[in-house]
């Protein structure tokens, strides 16, 4: 390939394909026909000597070569775009639709404030939320099913895939929750009573062994876990109506309708801190609307010291 002979218009097609994850959506974004985009992709493949994108059930997936090219090409196009149009994205006028994946715990904390902020500065924008299963964070971003994920990472001892970017937001403060008239609420909770009590926990990873139990197992301990659910609000309701106790986020319980009925005490065996982070795919690093969304989320919810 020679730079002198490369049609630079093809780079705009490459950017749209990376951003949209679909030939059809790329054609719509570029106001081109689908065959024209397909033809441009064929020319790109020939010029670069790589397939660049492979078809999947949900659209197209970039090859490793495409991922490697995306940041320098995306940055270059963004510099050109800003040089030519300083108003590339105006939140006051945008009608963009954003999709966020998060648990009901994160959604309860984030969405009321985010909707209010959007009403003030981006009144015509729309936000859609999807459930978060943790294990699918990378796949959802890679397949362009969501713009961002707000979550803890499934294995905090390892880094997400190289193409997935992240920014820490806040550390979750956990407490041992029980109903106010629970027998254990009348005395100091020690480790033995804590482990032998009946527990409920939330598992978003599609596993029956929550992260807290993995922590206990690493110390040669186990608790009496009798049930798992996939929603935090369900866990609070179970605690409110039964003798089960649970290790749950304190900040959600404090503002929920269950608060008057719940008693919170320190966890006798506290696990290492868990951090809620903002995740996105690197192909969206330079997309103005996506960058604005991330900056807004960080400004509003980053509470790391």
């Amino acid at each position: 390939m020679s730079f002198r002979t490369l049609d630079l218009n093809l780079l705009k097609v490459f950017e749209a394909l990376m951003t949209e994850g679909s030939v059809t959506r790329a054609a719509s974004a570029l106001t081109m026909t689908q065959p024209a985009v397909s033809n441009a992709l064929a020319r790109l493949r020939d010029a670069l000597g790589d397939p660049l994108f492979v078809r999947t059930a949900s659209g197209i997936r970039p090859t490793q070569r495409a991922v490697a090219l995306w940041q320098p090409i995306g940055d270059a196009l963004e510099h050109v775009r800003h040089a030519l149009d300083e108003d590339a994205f105006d939140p006051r006028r945008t009608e963009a639709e954003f999709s966020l994946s998060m648990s009901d715990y994160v959604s309860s904390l984030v969405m009321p404030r985010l909707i209010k902020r959007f009403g003030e500065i981006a009144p015509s924008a729309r936000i859609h939320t999807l459930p978060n299963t943790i294990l699918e964070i990378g796949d959802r971003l890679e397949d362009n099913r969501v713009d961002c994920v707000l979550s803890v990472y499934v294995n905090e001892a390892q880094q997400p895939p190289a193409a997935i970017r992240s920014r820490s937001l806040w550390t979750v403060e956990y407490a041992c929750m029980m109903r106010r008239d629970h027998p254990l609420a009348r005395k100091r909770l020690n480790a033995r009573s804590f482990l032998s009590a009946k527990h409920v926990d939330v598992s978003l990873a599609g596993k029956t062994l929550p992260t807290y139990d993995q922590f206990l197992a690493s110390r040669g301990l186990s608790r009496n876990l009798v049930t798992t659910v996939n929603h935090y609000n369900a866990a609070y309701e179970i605690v409110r109506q039964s003798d089960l106790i649970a290790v749950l986020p304190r900040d959600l319980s404090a503002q929920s309708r269950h608060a008057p009925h719940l008693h919170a005490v320190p966890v006798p065996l506290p696990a290492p801190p868990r951090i809620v982070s903002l995740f996105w795919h690197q192909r969206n690093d330079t997309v103005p609307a996506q960058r604005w969304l991330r900056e807004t989320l960080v400004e509003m919810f980053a509470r790391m010291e």
Side-chain angles (χ1 to χ4, degrees):
M1 182 196 69
S2 170
F3 178 78
R4 289 177 299 172
T5 60
L6 179 67
D7 182 353
L8 297 184
N9 284 317
L10 296 180
L11 299 183
K12 293 170 60 179
V13 175
F14 174 75
E15 178 188 44
L17 290 167
M18 285 293 292
T19 303
E20 300 296 333
S22 160
V23 173
T24 301
R25 291 195 296 270
S28 176
L30 293 166
T31 62
M32 296 172 61
T33 65
Q34 196 168 336
V37 171
S38 297
N39 178 262
L41 176 56
R43 293 169 60 196
L44 267 172
R45 285 168 166 164
D46 182 62
L48 299 176
D50 188 89
L52 296 177
F53 300 93
V54 294
R55 293 192 178 278
T56 69
S58 58
I60 55 175
R61 181 190 294 267
T63 64
Q64 290 185 347
R65 173 68 169 155
V67 170
L69 288 170
W70 171 236
Q71 185 163 355
I73 290 177
D75 287 346
L77 291 174
E78 184 65 11
H79 286 312
V80 173
R81 186 178 292 113
H82 275 288
L84 299 175
D85 184 5
E86 294 184 357
D87 297 322
F89 179 76
D90 183 354
R92 293 167 298 180
R93 298 166 58 184
T94 187
E95 296 182 356
E97 294 194 10
F98 300 105
S99 56
L100 304 173
S101 177
M102 60 186 82
S103 69
D104 62 313
Y105 155 64
V106 175
S107 182
S108 296
L109 297 177
V110 168
M111 290 308 295
R113 291 179 56 194
L114 189 61
I115 290 295
K116 181 180 179 182
R117 176 67 66 88
F118 267 50
E120 295 168 348
I121 61 177
S124 297
R126 300 181 181 183
I127 314 174
H128 305 287
T129 62
L130 289 81
N132 173 35
T133 60
I134 295 184
L135 288 179
E136 297 181 353
I137 288 177
D139 291 340
R140 287 192 171 198
L141 293 170
E142 183 68 49
D143 295 341
N144 214 35
R145 283 180 275 169
V146 295
D147 297 319
C148 298
V149 177
L150 284 81
S151 174
V152 297
Y153 193 58
V154 64
N155 186 346
E156 291 158 326
Q158 297 180 4
Q159 293 298 314
I164 306 302
R165 307 290 196 221
S166 66
R167 168 64 157 85
S168 298
L169 294 179
W170 73 84
T171 301
V172 183
E173 181 185 356
Y174 286 92
C176 180
M177 311 300 302
M178 62 191 73
R179 58 183 173 84
R180 285 203 173 273
D181 57 349
H182 194 286
L184 293 177
R186 295 192 290 268
K187 56 185 179 180
R188 183 177 179 181
L189 185 63
N190 58 40
R192 178 177 296 180
S193 298
F194 170 77
L195 293 174
S196 62
K198 293 182 177 179
H199 288 247
V200 57
D201 205 343
V202 181
S203 177
L204 300 178
K207 298 180 178 179
T208 56
L209 188 66
T211 302
Y212 185 72
D213 293 86
Q214 296 175 24
F215 158 72
L216 290 176
S218 71
R219 300 184 60 178
L221 300 172
S222 64
R223 59 175 171 167
N224 186 13
L225 181 66
V226 299
T227 187
T228 59
V229 292
N230 62 349
H231 290 88
Y232 283 88
N233 277 312
Y236 287 110
E237 184 65 22
I238 290 170
V239 169
R240 185 179 74 86
Q241 296 191 39
S242 72
D243 280 338
L244 272 63
I245 66 174
V247 177
L248 295 170
R250 182 188 291 269
D251 47 5
L252 180 58
S253 66
Q255 68 176 38
S256 76
R257 61 188 176 87
H258 303 303
H261 310 286
L262 297 176
H263 179 64
V265 299
V267 181
L269 298 165
R274 305 203 76 197
I275 299 172
V276 173
S277 297
L278 172 65
F279 298 91
W280 69 95
H281 198 283
Q282 69 173 13
R283 64 168 168 261
N284 288 329
D285 276 348
T286 58
V287 178
Q290 294 290 321
R291 187 168 57 193
W292 172 82
L293 172 65
R294 295 194 302 271
E295 290 173 352
T296 300
L297 289 167
V298 170
E299 175 193 348
M300 294 182 66
F301 302 106
R303 302 198 297 266
M304 299 298 296
E305 297 181 356

